[in-house]
Every structure is written in C-alpha cells, then in structure tokens.
Amino acid sequence: MKRFLLRSGCFILLLAALFGALELGLRSIPNDYAYKNHYLEEHASSLEVLSLGSSHSYYGIDPAYFDRPSFNASHVSQSLFYDLGILDKFKDDMTQLKYILLPISSFTLSHRIEDGTEAWRVRSYHLYYDLAVPQGITPLYEVTGNDGFTNFKRVADYLRTGQGVNCDERGFLARPPEDPQDLEATGIRAAKRHNAMNPVHQTENRHILDALLQDARSIGARVILYTPPGHDEYVGRLDPAAVRQMKELAETLDRSSQEVIYLNFLEDPHFAESDFYDADHVNAAGARKLTGLINQAMQEWDRGQDPVTAAAGGK
C-alpha cells in the first residue's frame, strides 16, 4: 500500500511538473497581450493618444500617422469591459494623455466577448494584463485553454519562425492585409454576426461606457467616439434600428460633454472599395486614411475649432 501511494505521489508530482513546464513554455511565447501590457508599463507616461477597441481599431488605427506619441491598445473582439480594464490599470500613469479613441458600432453595447467564439481570448487579459475577468470564466491557463494539438502547433510555429507578436511597435497590426476578401460574402457573415449579438448586455455595457468616460474626465483626456467605415455589402445588411440607436447614443454623448465628440465614418465617401480588406475592416490604405482623418480632427480641436469639420462626413 505504501509503495502504491509512493508511486502515485511521484506520478502526480511528475504530471504537475510537466504541466508547469508546459504552461511556463506557452506563456513565454511572445504575444500581442503581453507585448501591449509591457509597452504600456514602460511608456504610459509619455503617451498623448490611446486607441482602444476591437479589430475595427486594431486594423484601422495606425499610430504612425498621428503627429504625437500614440499607442493602439486594441485587440480582436475586445469589448468595453476590457477597454475599461486597460484604461483603469494605466490611467494614473498616463499623465500626458490628451485623447482616447473609442470605436462605437451598432453591436458595441450588445457585445460581450465571453459569449462568442472568441471567448478563449479572455484568459489573455488575466494572464498578461493581470486584469480581473468575470466570475466563472475558465480555463485561465494556457495548457487547458487549448487542445494538445493547438498547443503543440503554437510551440512549433514559434520555434520555426521566432515570431509570436502580430502587432508593430505602436500596437497596430504588423502585417496589414492589402488584397480584399470577397466583400459580399464577408459582409453577409459580419452583419449576421453583429445583428445577432445579445441586447441583454446593453445596460451593463452602457454603465461600463459611462465609467470609461468618467475615467477620461478624471485624467483630463478628451474622448473621440467614432464609427469605423464599412463597405456597402456590410452596412446595407445591418439592423437599421441598432444603427439608429448607436448614432443617437453617440450624438447624445457628444452634445452632453465638451470633452467628447462623435465622428461617423460608417458610410463616409472618403473610403472606396480599395480601402477595405473585408466588408467591415479597412486595409493598410484605409487605416492610413482613417487615422489621418482622426488626426486632422484632433488638430482642429487643439486649435479650438470644430473637430468634426476636419473629418468630412463626420456627423
């Protein structure tokens, strides 16, 4: 019996050691979450512009085209809960921050990353940003978060390429796609996905948005709410009621505060078909254009002018 218990104990210890070694190995692979958290830890005090949001800002806001120190802290499928978490974590260090950029779309108030196919990303906020995540969200380990094949592939890919981070130094997508996908097909899929998001989260997300705006006020930062451009194949399939509700909210927030403006690029004529990677994401050329328009708006606001006029098609 003692021999059995000893062998069992040794086996359990071996499994624990293997688990720990694999977990440590997986966490040591560079990734966007670890990179962006580290960048903000090192540079938050010098930033003047912080871009938050989901893939629309990850693909769409290139800090290289701002005329001041800027960083893109967005991630694919990032919801308002994590936008607020990132800002909360670093706001006290952001002593120079002047602008926060936040995308607002028809699905923003209904979006909760934990409910969709991208829920696996939640653990990255816990592991690499050290943020609290909603209760009951598991697993929060790299090893158990994916199947064995996926973990093996991650390790093999890193050993083969030496790459794990997909963003550039300032947080923008490092290798932005140029050639468009099928715009009709991607428009159908994206609109269907966004129209189907659960409105039960709207009250919670509105509270989160209000808290984010309060954080901005507390550090003296202005907020630019913007609706990213969309191709006709996407925009024409969106729920009109959701689009109308989004615009009404953003315009109300604009009117209610001198430190908040709203820029609506959803159907802006500045953006041609050649500016889109798929029906709801711009490519590198579109990102250069979108970032430039927002930069012009900030310049006008700094001069005491109406910033919306700088972004033709604004409201």
Side-chain angles (χ1 to χ4, degrees):
M1 184 64 178
K2 289 182 178 179
R3 182 176 297 178
F4 172 76
L5 291 176
L6 180 61
R7 288 180 176 177
S8 297
C10 290
F11 180 70
I12 292 171
L13 287 174
L14 178 60
L15 286 180
L18 289 173
F19 180 94
L22 182 55
E23 180 69 19
L24 184 62
L26 289 170
R27 291 193 194 188
S28 68
I29 297 174
N31 62 76
D32 282 11
Y33 298 90
Y35 173 79
K36 293 190 178 187
N37 179 71
H38 179 71
Y39 186 97
L40 290 170
E41 288 177 340
E42 296 293 319
H43 301 286
S45 62
S46 64
L47 293 178
E48 295 185 25
V49 180
L50 178 68
S51 175
L52 298 169
S54 62
S55 58
H56 286 163
S57 45
Y58 185 43
Y59 282 65
I61 301 298
D62 185 350
Y65 298 102
F66 288 132
D67 58 4
R68 61 197 82 196
S70 310
F71 188 69
N72 188 331
S74 62
H75 295 278
V76 172
S77 290
Q78 185 162 288
S79 54
L80 286 171
F81 180 88
Y82 298 101
D83 289 328
L84 177 61
I86 292 171
L87 181 59
D88 265 344
K89 179 174 181 178
F90 295 104
K91 66 180 180 180
D92 291 339
D93 298 322
M94 293 180 169
T95 54
Q96 303 299 315
L97 196 66
K98 294 180 173 60
Y99 289 99
I100 296 171
L101 312 181
L102 186 68
I104 184 166
S105 299
S106 62
F107 61 88
T108 299
L109 289 188
S110 300
H111 176 44
R112 187 174 181 269
I113 189 175
E114 293 83 2
D115 293 342
T117 58
E118 303 288 340
W120 61 270
R121 297 180 180 276
V122 170
R123 69 175 180 275
S124 295
Y125 293 98
H126 172 73
L127 295 176
Y128 304 110
Y129 278 105
D130 195 27
L131 297 181
V133 299
Q135 189 174 6
I137 299 299
T138 57
L140 294 177
Y141 297 98
E142 290 284 14
V143 172
T144 54
N146 290 309
D147 57 54
F149 175 78
T150 301
N151 286 331
F152 175 79
K153 186 175 184 302
R154 285 183 62 197
V155 173
D157 287 347
Y158 176 61
L159 292 175
R160 178 175 55 84
T161 66
Q163 296 179 344
V165 176
N166 295 313
C167 64
D168 65 15
E169 181 183 2
R170 298 189 234 188
F172 177 64
L173 183 64
R175 294 170 291 279
E178 292 287 349
D179 297 328
Q181 295 189 13
D182 185 315
L183 294 174
E184 180 180 7
T186 57
I188 292 172
R189 288 197 299 268
K192 182 179 180 180
R193 183 172 66 252
H194 294 159
N195 289 340
M197 290 188 179
N198 197 337
V200 73
H201 302 307
Q202 289 188 3
T203 299
E204 175 189 4
N205 278 330
R206 177 58 199 272
H207 290 321
I208 293 172
L209 177 57
D210 288 342
L212 194 153
L213 296 177
Q214 177 57 44
D215 271 2
R217 285 193 293 271
S218 73
I219 58 175
R222 292 168 162 174
V223 176
I224 296 180
L225 300 173
Y226 68 96
T227 300
H231 189 271
D232 292 346
E233 296 287 358
Y234 168 70
V235 177
R237 293 180 169 87
L238 290 174
D239 178 0
V243 174
R244 183 169 59 252
Q245 180 187 40
M246 172 269 294
K247 289 181 61 177
E248 290 174 353
L249 171 61
E251 290 170 353
T252 297
L253 293 172
D254 182 328
R255 290 193 300 268
S256 64
S257 173
Q258 294 184 341
E259 304 307 314
V260 177
I261 63 165
Y262 172 51
L263 304 175
N264 185 1
F265 299 106
L266 186 60
E267 299 180 89
D268 193 300
H270 280 108
F271 297 89
E273 185 168 307
S274 58
D275 292 315
F276 289 92
Y277 160 62
D278 63 21
D280 71 315
H281 294 93
V282 293
N283 56 23
R288 182 165 58 249
K289 192 174 293 185
L290 176 60
T291 307
L293 290 169
I294 293 177
N295 191 58
Q296 290 175 37
M298 290 191 294
Q299 291 173 339
E300 290 297 310
W301 208 352
D302 287 342
R303 289 193 286 264
Q305 305 299 316
D306 180 5
V308 178
T309 61
K315 287 190 201 175

